[in-house]
Amino acid sequence: MSAQPSSASRQQPVSGSPVADRADTARPAVSVGLVVAICLVAANLRTTLTGVGALLPEIERGSGLTSSWGGLLSTLPLLTFAATSPLVARASHRLGSARLLVAALGVLAVGTVVRSLPSVICLFAGTVILSAAIAFGNVLLPALIRRNVPAHRIQGVSALYVTVMGLMAAVSSGISAPLAHTVPGSWHTALAWGVAFTVAAFLAWLPRMRGDKPQASTGGTHSPVPWRSRVAWQVTFFMGLQSLAFYTAVAWLPSILVDRGTSSTTAGWMLFYYQVVSLAASSLLPLLTRGRHDQRWIAAGASVLVAAGFTVLVAAPALSVVACTLLGLGGGACLVLALTFQSQRAGSSGEAAALAGMAQSIGYLVAAAGPLLLGILHDTTDSWTLPLTVLAVLGIATAVAGHGAGRDRHIGRASG
């Protein structure tokens, strides 16, 4: 299967050519304001989701949800990502990326508040609303980075925003359970604390709406989704499988540890530790990949570490710290690579939006199977052995996809 160059990709200079180098040099330097604005958006892309895993035992007890329903609650964001992501590239083409991002941040704030209301219906409805808004942010950021950041700084900026995203995700996992025990409203209130960062990001992006012209009004070309590109599919499956591992761990790791005698607060802090290791790995990854255009073996090796982490949870559950360390090291590296590939494997910002939309729609559809499947397998077997074994096997599949996605290729060129 090979990619056919689109009209958009034919108009773009090939990365590494003199024309591309001149175009890259002509881009303005990365401003502090832009980096801060990007990081504020990143702070919102997981904060409202990761706290649910730490609170899930409390939510199930307080609302009467079974493990299967708890798995559905954890899967809903991924299903929403899959359904919403394909809409982002076309909407951005018509409305402008900054305008669309501001609208998404407003919807995110509304969804966060709705989810915290004392109603099971609001819990699920609010989850869908805020997840749709996050899906827009997930797709828009790689395209905005591809458009505004010089090519040699893309991975550094991607690693920075992944670090912020991971830091806020870890903080949310760590403080949500203690917060639920101390604030009025219990877990309902704990679900809404991240809305402050949503408001801050909304205000940071409001001024950037000026001058953000829709590409449709300027004659810009909308890049088609690269369905025929082998590289695009490898990026997509790598994105999906690494997301499956992350969201499954975030959803069920506290429950796995609680079933084995750990307190809910300690289990929440173990999830925090896992994510701290993950963000440390994502921060250090650019040092390992500096000057490397071929990243096949780094992506494959990081995926094997994730598989090893799930294997330790099965074979030696008492070594949960070792398991969380392996999961964090591998998962943090995989996430940076998955997001970076969505920018690096594209020849233009339009192609980046199209590739990100594909990778995140199909990828999150793959990822959505994880939390729900684990909940069903646990209810069926009354054990975590089979679910964790399945995750370890999927870690090896991630390594295969990462090996392909890590090649120094573009979706606009033949990828045989």
Side-chain angles (χ1 to χ4, degrees), residues 253-267 317 320 384:
L253 183 59
S255 297
I256 293 169
L257 297 178
V258 167
D259 273 7
R260 292 170 176 174
T262 305
S263 70
S264 61
T265 298
T266 302
S320 57
W384 290 108

Side-chain angles (χ1 to χ4, degrees), residues 102-268:
V102 169
L105 290 167
V107 173
L108 176 57
V110 172
T112 303
V113 172
V114 170
R115 187 184 62 171
S116 68
L117 298 177
S119 162
V120 172
I121 293 177
C122 289
L123 175 66
F124 282 87
T127 297
V128 171
I129 294 170
L130 68 86
S131 299
I134 290 173
F136 274 75
N138 282 335
V139 175
L140 288 170
L141 268 190
L144 285 165
I145 289 172
R146 180 64 181 80
R147 187 177 72 186
N148 295 295
V149 176
H152 67 283
R153 295 192 180 277
I154 285 177
Q155 188 168 65
V157 173
S158 297
L160 177 61
Y161 97 69
V162 168
T163 299
V164 173
M165 188 166 63
L167 176 62
M168 293 307 303
V171 169
S172 181
S173 298
I175 73 170
S176 290
L179 204 60
H181 297 148
T182 57
V183 298
S186 185
W187 56 266
H188 295 285
T189 305
L191 284 173
W193 74 272
V195 74
F197 291 95
T198 310
V199 173
F202 180 87
L203 295 175
W205 279 91
L206 267 180
R208 296 182 177 274
M209 291 175 60
R210 284 190 241 112
D212 180 47
K213 297 179 181 179
Q215 293 181 43
S217 66
T218 59
T221 304
H222 171 65
S223 298
V225 179
W227 297 117
R228 299 181 62 187
S229 168
R230 182 183 299 173
V231 172
W233 280 106
Q234 289 164 337
V235 171
T236 295
F237 282 116
F238 184 64
M239 176 69 190
L241 290 171
Q242 67 84 27
S243 294
L244 184 151
F246 171 80
Y247 283 104
T248 302
V250 166
W252 289 115
L253 183 59
S255 297
I256 293 169
L257 297 178
V258 167
D259 273 7
R260 292 170 176 174
T262 305
S263 70
S264 61
T265 298
T266 302

Side-chain angles (χ1 to χ4, degrees), residues 81-82 85 135 138-139 142 239 339 342 356-364:
F81 291 169
S85 296
N138 282 335
V139 175
M239 176 69 190
L339 295 175
Q342 293 170 38
M358 175 181 172
Q360 296 190 35
S361 59
I362 304 299
Y364 282 127

